[in-house]
Amino acid sequence: MKTDAFALRHIGPRETDLQHMLQTIGVESIEQLVYETLPDDIRLKAPLNLDPAMTEYEFSNHILQLGNKNKLFKTYIGLGYNQAIVPAVIQRNVFENPGWYTAYTPYQAEIAQGRLEAILNFQTTVIELTGMEIANASLLDEGTAAAEAMALLLDVRSRDQKKNNVNKFFVSEEILPQTLSVLQTRATPIGVELVIGNHETFDFSTEFFGAILQYPGKYGQVYDYTAFIEKAAASEIKVAVAADILSLAKLTPPGEMGAAVVVGTTQRFGIPLGYGGPHAAYFATKEEYKRSMPGRIIGVTIDTNGNRALRMALQTREQHIKRDKATSNICTAQVLLSVMAGMYAVYHGPKGLQYIADKVHAAAATLANELKNLGLEQVNSAFFDTILVKADAKKVKAVAEANEVNFYYVDENTISISLNETTSVSDVNDIINIFATALSLKATTVSELTETNHYPENLNRTSAFLEHDVFNKYHSETALMRYIKMLERKDLALNHSMISLGSCTMKLNAAAEMLPLSNPNWNNIHPFAPLDQAQGYQEMLKKLEQQLNVITGFAGTTLQPNSGAQGEYAGLMVIRAYHQSRGDDHRNIALIPSSAHGTNPASAAMAGMKVVVTKTLENGNIDVEDLREKAILHKDNLSCLMVTYPSTHGVFESAIQEITKIIHDNGGQVYMDGANMNAQVGLTNPATIGADVCHLNLHKTFAIPHGGGGPGVGPICVAPQLVPFLPGNPVIPTGGETAITAISAAPWGSALVCLISYGYISMLGADGLKSATEHAILNANYIKEKLNGHYDTLYSGEMGRAAHEMILECRPFKQKGIEVTDIAKRLMDYGFHAPTVSFPVAGTLMIEPTESENLEELDRFCEAMISIRKEIEAATIEDSNNVLKNSPHTLAMLTSETWEFPYTREQAAFPLEYIAENKFWPSVRRADDAFGDRNLICSCAPIEAYMEEN
């Protein structure tokens, strides 16, 4: 056994298991299975041209050496990114803990109560600091959150504004440059006209539906926006404010000024810089706009017994229901980071946050005073953490960089300096010395920070915040450690058992891939640091782009998109730019099969395209003749086809090359949704099937953990004709020669977690990647055969095989009174997270085991599913008091003095022998979604708020 081979550790089945598994499936070899699964004409003819696989030890040394090429300067660049202190208790117990980072999105509320509570803490923090009424579970970054705010304000225009097509949106010139770029990207295709200007001279014309302001401004000036918002309201203009979250501990919240939406980033609440991400953006608004709010909202409800329970509220999967009519294509959050930011607020509490904000402001005030004493002009009349200094930028930069310090150089005579939580008296003296040396002045030395407010008295925050118990009782490390552990025990993550979610690929997130994320040489670099200070990052990111080019067969890659849905949008915007470059502005029709992910039509609508749905055959395949007919009908205006491959039904369609040719013959481009790339790597690729662009879910196929519903990275890989249009960034040049404006805020998106995929590919190499794909197909077909005779598989390929996932038919069980949800909840009693419920076909389960699961775990899962099938048979439609309808069963039920169910406690909680060894107890009974939506509470309301309802 080659024990230093990473593939041996990543891939679950052992060599000794293969014969049994192949025999069960009915094939003689994996090669035969692959032949019966994939159309032969799309198979790759040669191995992937990748470097030889590294061992874990070799990769560990390699990534350490690469990280040493990054230079750790003291960085005061700001622009929405600030160095933060990650409390060690949060780093060790959340960031580095697979109980938190391997969990899935909390669609199954009963086994996600811990994570849901942590996110509720985050939402409460946001609501109370911003002064708003409702907040979501986080968004991808500040730039895209601002774009979502613009889209929400467009959606909630008055009837007259919609009737008169009022489409102008005012953007303050104080907005962060990367936010402006993202706004420009999002505005054009949805028909919004951006007007950039000075908010102090804005004329409040009725041609405007909305405005966005920065608080404080991009270079630190603090403005009182109360009068602006009042005047805007008089003209029916709703205002969004992008606000620094830490400043809101000291400054009047935008909600108290009358803002309609408040957005920003929580990065400075204990999240590493990570060269741009991942970070949890926040989004808060008024309750009246809740139906137009993007992303996820965690809400409070009750369970079957009337006890408090949490779950995802309202438009949990809005884009899957509304499709192209959805207000956003967002289907993810940055949960792991929002959990960390929420825990930061819990750990420090309101007084701790005020102390940190006071310290940051005092550092800025002290520096401003001392530079003024040196004879330098400080421009900002009111500021929180950022000062704007008039000085010779060239001279200052030379001395600053020699002393390993970064400022932001606005122009040749203006320097912006943003101070942060880590700034000490010593750091302030170092900055003073840099200016004194550069300008040949005599330096002064300060011994303590000045505690004077440098903003107007009327902007001093007077309202209390974070008075709930949770923010005032866990301030010792012991207390917080135990609180985090208490919540973790309520969550079923990948470190407990298999999560067999179809279309979501919950594979191993190897420790060797994760460890570098804690190294400060990787996690403490500012995204706008000069490139020569980020050489390790540059080498890693360029190498990852090359690896992904090889894997997909494409010519270029951008890592900027922060999620799969954002990757879809990026791909479509690149296609749009390509058509426009050829004078084909009119090409705006996107053909989308009816079986596609709901994010596909939502993304197409956001990119300004008109969606035309094509039919699907009974066997789940695309109806080629219907597609041909519609492609020809719309050939003059055809922009693209969006296709998932293997299909959303878990099948490799043999007509794929014919399908892509039809699109090309009619002037369109082919966008391949990479959700199922897990079944392609090393066997075929998007270029071979005839696609022009695809996004990849690095958080699926390439081992970035789901983190409870984020982090994610959704890079796009493109054919040569699309490379020039890859997105850029206004601060650090990147992207193609004629780059579209930014898709997300940071030049390389969530660069920190790209280390994980880089490690995954580097340690598996060409052979390991191919083997991983083969074993994903092996494991899926093994489950398919083991469950054959108990459950029908809805779709299969021409030779009867599944790809890497399959859909189980559960609709006939309604005759027994059993819904697919009952099976999902009953699986919790067996210690498993449910497969994907009712997607892409209502009333079904979609199962994907991944290559990481070993034979024992596959057998345990199959045993559980077969046992549940027997329970279904025993059920009757007349009597709903059965073990399925009453699931999941909690410890409180099992230990109650009374037991009024027609089955035993043992049948309820321990239906199979293996469960007793590692029992997972759901902490609540079934959550009542309808009750929660009728009584929407999305913050840590006191317990009295529920007593009336009960």
Side-chain angles (χ1 to χ4, degrees):
M1 186 167 77
K2 195 177 177 183
T3 58
D4 60 355
F6 177 72
L8 178 83
R9 307 302 190 184
H10 174 80
I11 295 170
R14 306 292 84 189
E15 194 71 36
T16 51
D17 299 329
L18 282 184
Q19 205 48 49
H20 165 72
M21 296 178 75
L22 294 169
Q23 195 172 348
T24 301
I25 295 168
V27 292
E28 293 184 6
S29 65
I30 288 185
E31 182 55 41
Q32 183 189 341
L33 175 61
V34 170
Y35 173 78
E36 292 181 5
T37 306
L38 252 80
D40 203 44
D41 60 347
I42 63 166
R43 287 289 298 274
L44 296 180
K45 306 303 179 212
L48 296 173
N49 184 21
L50 296 169
D51 293 343
M54 297 183 195
T55 65
E56 291 187 32
Y57 181 71
E58 287 169 341
F59 177 73
S60 175
N61 287 328
H62 164 71
I63 212 69
L64 189 64
Q65 290 165 8
L66 206 53
N68 288 336
K69 294 185 179 183
N70 294 323
K71 297 174 184 174
L72 274 185
F73 283 23
K74 288 273 184 180
T75 296
Y76 306 104
I77 293 171
L79 292 181
Y81 299 95
N82 296 276
Q83 194 173 340
I85 296 170
V86 185
V89 61
I90 296 174
Q91 177 170 323
R92 172 60 64 92
N93 293 291
V94 178
F95 188 60
E96 297 173 347
N97 182 351
W100 287 94
Y101 67 69
T102 71
Y104 182 60
T105 308
Y107 289 126
Q108 298 296 335
E110 297 79 6
I111 51 174
Q113 288 295 297
R115 202 160 359 110
L116 289 165
E117 180 171 327
I119 305 169
L120 196 73
N121 293 343
F122 171 84
Q123 290 180 179
T124 303
T125 301
V126 170
I127 289 168
E128 301 209 356
L129 282 170
T130 60
M132 300 304 286
E133 296 169 354
I134 188 169
N136 70 14
S138 78
L139 290 177
L140 303 174
D141 61 21
E142 181 169 335
T144 48
E148 293 293 343
M150 176 180 69
L152 179 143
L153 295 181
L154 181 70
D155 189 56
V156 301
R157 287 174 298 171
S158 68
R159 186 175 296 177
D160 282 348
Q161 285 175 325
K162 288 179 179 176
K163 181 182 172 184
N164 296 319
N165 194 29
V166 173
N167 72 335
K168 287 186 178 179
F169 187 73
F170 174 75
V171 182
S172 165
E173 59 195 17
E174 289 283 340
I175 205 82
L176 297 173
Q178 67 272 22
T179 299
L180 175 58
S181 189
V182 175
L183 285 168
Q184 288 167 333
T185 307
R186 289 285 295 272
T188 308
I190 58 173
V192 171
E193 182 184 339
L194 296 186
V195 177
I196 302 149
N198 185 332
H199 75 273
E200 293 177 320
T201 58
F202 181 55
D203 67 357
F204 300 97
S205 154
T206 53
E207 295 177 331
F208 289 82
F209 68 87
I212 188 165
L213 308 168
Q214 192 83 40
Y215 183 59
K218 62 183 173 183
Y219 303 133
Q221 177 69 33
V222 173
Y223 297 95
D224 183 349
Y225 291 127
T226 307
F228 180 97
I229 294 171
E230 283 175 2
K231 286 180 186 174
S235 298
E236 285 195 279
I237 300 170
K238 298 177 179 72
V239 179
V241 177
D244 178 283
I245 191 86
L246 184 61
S247 75
L248 301 183
K250 301 305 297 178
L251 300 177
T252 301
E256 293 177 18
M257 296 180 187
V261 186
V262 187
V263 299
T265 176
T266 58
Q267 178 268 314
R268 66 191 311 173
F269 274 23
I271 312 298
L273 284 166
Y275 205 43
H279 306 140
Y282 71 83
F283 190 108
T285 188
K286 298 180 176 181
E287 187 151 347
E288 65 187 283
Y289 304 143
K290 64 189 178 186
R291 293 284 172 185
S292 298
M293 197 171 180
R296 300 175 181 146
I297 303 170
I298 305 309
V300 183
T301 187
I302 55 175
D303 73 358
T304 302
N305 285 354
N307 295 320
R308 180 179 186 267
L310 307 175
R311 92 291 182 234
M312 296 205 295
L314 300 178
Q315 72 285 52
T316 290
R317 303 193 76 168
E318 182 221 43
Q319 78 284 358
H320 288 279
I321 300 162
K322 295 187 177 178
R323 299 173 74 82
D324 56 315
K325 299 292 189 292
T327 54
S328 171
N329 71 341
I330 289 292
C331 69
T332 192
Q334 293 285 21
V335 172
L336 184 66
L337 298 316
S338 67
V339 167
M340 290 176 66
M343 288 298 179
Y344 182 92
V346 168
Y347 194 41
H348 290 296
K351 290 179 181 174
L353 293 180
Q354 286 172 322
Y355 166 77
I356 294 165
D358 280 335
K359 183 173 170 242
V360 170
H361 181 63
T366 304
L367 180 59
N369 291 340
E370 293 304 319
L371 292 180
K372 185 180 178 183
N373 291 340
L374 286 179
L376 296 172
E377 181 189 356
Q378 196 286 117
V379 176
N380 290 337
S381 58
F383 58 84
F384 168 66
D385 66 350
T386 301
I387 61 174
L388 200 59
V389 182
K390 288 295 182 182
D392 187 323
K394 190 175 181 182
K395 287 182 180 178
V396 173
K397 185 177 183 182
V399 178
E401 292 190 350
N403 285 275
E404 299 192 339
V405 169
N406 289 323
F407 303 128
Y408 186 68
Y409 303 95
V410 178
D411 58 42
E412 59 186 20
N413 297 308
T414 316
I415 303 164
S416 174
I417 307 171
S418 291
L419 305 183
N420 59 67
E421 181 187 8
T422 71
T423 306
S424 64
V425 173
S426 173
D427 294 326
V428 171
N429 282 319
D430 288 344
I431 296 170
I432 295 166
N433 278 323
I434 287 167
F435 277 86
T437 303
L439 305 171
S440 302
L441 301 168
K442 183 169 173 55
T444 55
T445 301
V446 298
S447 57
E448 60 182 359
L449 300 178
T450 310
E451 292 186 19
T452 55
N453 283 356
H454 278 257
Y455 46 83
E457 185 68 28
N458 65 306
L459 285 182
N460 216 7
R461 179 172 190 138
T462 57
S463 54
F465 59 94
L466 303 187
E467 294 181 304
H468 314 280
D469 275 359
V470 72
F471 299 105
N472 293 283
K473 63 190 288 191
Y474 301 116
H475 296 166
S476 76
E477 179 167 337
T478 307
L480 186 69
M481 174 181 68
R482 288 174 181 158
Y483 177 61
I484 292 170
K485 188 64 183 178
M486 179 187 75
L487 297 188
E488 184 194 340
R489 282 200 305 267
K490 295 179 180 181
D491 273 23
L492 193 151
L494 206 59
N495 61 344
H496 182 275
S497 58
M498 175 169 77
I499 300 178
S500 60
L501 285 146
S503 205
C504 287
T505 319
M506 295 292 293
K507 65 171 68 179
L508 171 73
N509 316 118
E513 298 157 1
M514 300 296 296
L515 284 172
L517 275 60
S518 295
N519 184 326
N521 280 2
W522 289 109
N523 69 28
N524 216 5
I525 307 290
H526 193 287
F528 302 144
L531 291 179
D532 63 1
Q533 294 174 26
Q535 284 306 296
Y537 258 117
Q538 289 300 307
E539 285 186 35
M540 182 274 290
L541 295 168
K542 283 185 173 64
K543 185 67 176 181
L544 178 58
E545 288 173 359
Q546 290 166 7
Q547 290 170 331
L548 297 178
N549 287 344
V550 169
I551 288 166
T552 59
F554 282 141
T557 292
T558 176
L559 297 165
Q560 196 177 112
N562 278 323
S563 76
Q566 204 177 69
E568 289 176 18
Y569 178 67
L572 294 172
M573 290 300 286
V574 164
I575 288 173
R576 182 176 181 272
Y578 164 75
H579 285 313
Q580 289 180 340
S581 74
R582 295 155 56 88
D584 288 343
D585 298 50
H586 55 280
R587 289 195 173 274
N588 68 341
I589 299 287
L591 298 183
I592 303 181
S594 58
S595 61
H597 292 92
T599 51
N600 285 184
S603 296
M606 276 173 50
M609 295 180 185
K610 183 183 172 188
V611 173
V612 173
V613 177
T614 68
K615 293 177 185 174
T616 309
L617 298 171
E618 264 187 44
N619 65 3
N621 291 350
I622 289 171
D623 184 330
V624 178
E625 291 314 309
D626 182 63
L627 180 128
R628 189 192 317 275
E629 187 181 306
K630 285 171 178 166
I632 293 169
L633 177 65
H634 297 288
K635 66 180 180 182
D636 294 336
N637 296 309
L638 181 62
S639 173
C640 63
L641 166 73
M642 296 187 79
V643 62
T644 302
Y645 200 75
S647 74
T648 315
H649 295 142
V651 173
F652 283 96
E653 298 185 37
S654 58
I656 189 63
Q657 288 181 319
E658 181 186 357
I659 288 167
T660 57
K661 186 176 185 302
I662 291 169
I663 301 304
H664 290 144
D665 287 348
N666 289 282
Q669 296 281 286
V670 175
Y671 173 91
M672 193 202 86
D673 184 310
N676 294 338
M677 193 68 194
N678 205 41
Q680 283 197 40
V681 180
L683 299 179
T684 184
N685 63 33
T688 300
I689 70 168
D692 300 288
V693 52
C694 75
H695 87 266
L696 301 171
N697 291 325
L698 298 193
H699 48 288
K700 295 181 181 180
T701 304
F702 295 97
I704 292 177
H706 276 62
V713 179
I716 58 168
C717 307
V718 298
Q721 75 275 13
L722 299 180
V723 170
F725 309 102
L726 292 175
N729 181 276
V731 183
I732 301 289
T734 185
E737 292 171 18
T738 51
I740 62 170
T741 43
I743 292 293
S744 61
W748 288 275
S750 294
L752 179 65
V753 289
C754 285
L755 282 164
I756 300 164
S757 298
Y758 176 68
Y760 174 81
I761 295 168
S762 300
M763 288 188 283
L764 278 178
D767 291 343
L769 287 167
K770 181 183 177 187
S771 182
T773 306
E774 290 171 338
H775 281 82
I777 293 170
L778 174 78
N779 284 0
N781 281 281
Y782 178 76
I783 286 182
K784 180 175 178 286
E785 293 306 321
K786 285 278 284 189
L787 296 182
N788 189 23
H790 304 282
Y791 297 87
D792 292 334
T793 303
L794 207 54
Y795 306 112
S796 54
E798 291 174 7
M799 298 192 193
R801 302 299 178 199
H804 62 309
E805 60 190 3
M806 78 216 73
I807 298 172
L808 297 188
E809 175 64 275
C810 301
R811 288 170 292 189
F813 304 149
K814 289 184 178 184
Q815 297 168 6
K816 296 278 186 178
I818 302 302
E819 302 288 340
V820 67
T821 303
D822 300 320
I823 302 172
K825 303 308 179 189
R826 180 59 174 151
L827 268 168
M828 297 174 188
D829 291 329
Y830 287 82
F832 286 106
H833 193 294
T836 305
V837 175
S838 288
F839 177 81
V841 180
T844 65
L845 289 175
M846 192 180 199
I847 296 173
E848 178 182 352
T850 87
E851 71 274 10
S852 300
E853 300 301 339
N854 61 20
L855 179 60
E856 291 77 10
E857 188 72 354
L858 298 177
D859 283 340
R860 270 194 293 269
F861 176 76
C862 291
E863 201 180 339
M865 289 296 291
I866 292 166
S867 177
I868 289 172
R869 183 70 181 85
K870 291 172 183 172
E871 292 171 351
I872 294 169
E873 278 307 303
T876 63
I877 198 164
E878 294 79 22
D879 185 6
S880 62
N881 188 16
N882 59 54
V883 73
L884 286 144
K885 286 291 184 185
N886 293 326
S887 63
H889 296 82
T890 62
L891 184 59
M893 292 171 70
L894 266 287
T895 54
S896 171
E897 286 185 15
T898 58
W899 182 262
E900 298 173 346
F901 302 105
Y903 47 87
T904 67
R905 297 176 199 247
E906 184 180 25
Q907 284 174 310
F910 302 99
L912 292 173
E913 196 174 320
Y914 76 82
I915 297 169
E917 292 177 13
N918 189 28
K919 176 67 181 175
F920 179 89
W921 291 102
S923 53
V924 297
R925 296 192 67 190
R926 284 200 205 184
D928 187 333
D929 290 332
F931 178 93
D933 285 349
R934 287 195 307 271
N935 306 276
L936 184 65
I937 300 171
C938 66
S939 67
C940 304
I943 193 67
E944 291 77 25
Y946 312 104
M947 292 173 68
E948 271 182 42
E949 324 282 7
N950 299 345

